[in-house]
Amino acid sequence: MTPTYRLHYAPDNASLVIRLALLELGQPFDTLLIDRRQRQQDSKGYRQLNPNGLIPVLETPDGPIFETAAILLWLADRHGALAPAPNSTGRAPFLKWLFFASNTLHADLRQLFYAEKYIGPDADLQQSLRTGMTRRLDTHLRNLDYAAGTDWLGGDSPSVLDLYLACQMRWMALYPAQHDRSWFNLDQYPALQAILVRLETRPSVHHAQEAEGLGPTPFTHPIHPTPPEGSAT
């Protein structure tokens, strides 16, 4: 079957969320590695697809799309799966938490992972920022844990929000590699933990494990990836 989509990806980056969504939807796609070590995300060709130089980009019949939440919502609506229908009663709460995951949770993660880009070279200031971010992230997760248990978060079938949060929680457990991550304890968020356990049984996750070298339990007991090509950082 001819691929409908092309995913520009780097292992264990935000493109992982899109890979999982495409697999769950059963949509044919091919991938193109963006080598972060070679800074290919800053190349002229990639910047023509995403002027911000961020991963991922999904090439579609309607043109390239960037921003993780935008891609997820577009895919869910186009294929009528992985999200509440536009006119359903679950649509409003789904949208508010999806954009919370993107605009608040993911934004705070970036400050945790790349403190030097936000606060400058001072190590003490970087640590202060990271400490503040871990407190915020814990609050975010507790709020999401309380909200879980619906068709759009923790339901019988995964939603794009489930996939997005699972990847973000994986990254919390692993990164930044050189700093204390003891603040993150999956047991403190039992409803979210149950989502991660269920996802690890999905064929989509098994496929992604092999494609990006994620290890046997990529969400509940993650290890640093050993991808067959490219690098996570």
Side-chain angles (χ1 to χ4, degrees):
M1 185 179 297
T2 302
T4 307
Y5 302 110
R6 169 170 287 183
L7 176 63
H8 297 252
Y9 90 104
D12 210 15
N13 279 234
S15 49
L16 172 60
V17 190
I18 310 305
R19 181 192 291 273
L20 290 169
L22 288 166
L23 290 167
E24 284 289 339
L25 291 167
Q27 290 299 309
F29 67 100
D30 59 19
T31 59
L32 182 64
L33 175 70
I34 304 302
D35 192 335
R36 293 189 60 181
R37 287 182 176 173
Q38 301 297 321
R39 300 295 302 177
Q40 288 182 346
Q41 68 269 33
D42 293 329
S43 67
K44 181 179 179 181
Y46 191 76
R47 291 274 182 165
Q48 289 176 338
L49 297 172
N50 184 351
N52 303 304
L54 297 175
I55 300 167
V57 165
L58 183 68
E59 291 189 67
T60 81
D62 293 346
I65 308 176
F66 55 84
E67 294 295 329
T68 302
I71 299 171
L72 291 173
L73 187 57
W74 186 89
L75 283 171
D77 286 353
R78 185 176 184 90
H79 297 288
L82 302 182
N87 295 325
S88 69
T89 57
R91 184 70 167 192
F94 163 77
L95 287 176
K96 72 182 181 184
W97 285 114
L98 176 64
F99 284 92
F100 173 83
S102 175
N103 297 350
T104 302
L105 183 61
H106 205 160
D108 285 352
L109 275 179
R110 287 188 60 82
Q111 292 191 63
L112 176 67
F113 298 160
Y114 307 110
E116 69 282 357
K117 295 183 179 180
Y118 292 88
I119 209 71
D122 187 286
D124 290 337
L125 290 177
Q126 289 179 22
Q127 185 54 44
S128 178
L129 176 61
R130 289 191 175 99
T131 299
M133 286 300 104
T134 59
R135 291 171 182 160
R136 281 174 55 88
L137 289 166
D138 177 63
T139 298
H140 298 338
L141 291 177
R142 291 181 187 277
N143 289 336
L144 284 159
D145 196 71
Y146 182 77
T150 69
D151 289 341
W152 42 267
L153 180 57
D156 293 336
S157 298
S159 71
V160 293
L161 180 56
D162 293 326
L163 302 176
Y164 200 178
L165 291 176
C167 293
Q168 290 183 85
M169 294 179 75
R170 167 184 167 80
W171 302 328
M172 290 177 204
L174 292 176
Y175 306 109
Q178 71 275 28
H179 293 281
D180 178 32
R181 300 184 305 282
S182 61
W183 71 273
F184 180 76
N185 180 355
L186 183 57
D187 292 337
Q188 294 178 339
Y189 322 108
L192 297 179
Q193 184 179 43
I195 294 172
L196 306 191
V197 170
R198 287 196 296 273
L199 284 175
E200 287 181 342
T201 69
R202 305 285 297 183
S204 63
V205 174
H206 297 163
H207 188 287
Q209 286 171 244
E210 294 184 7
E212 301 197 14
L214 302 180
T217 50
F219 302 132
T220 57
H221 296 90
I223 59 174
H224 287 278
T226 55
E229 62 175 0
S231 168
T233 57

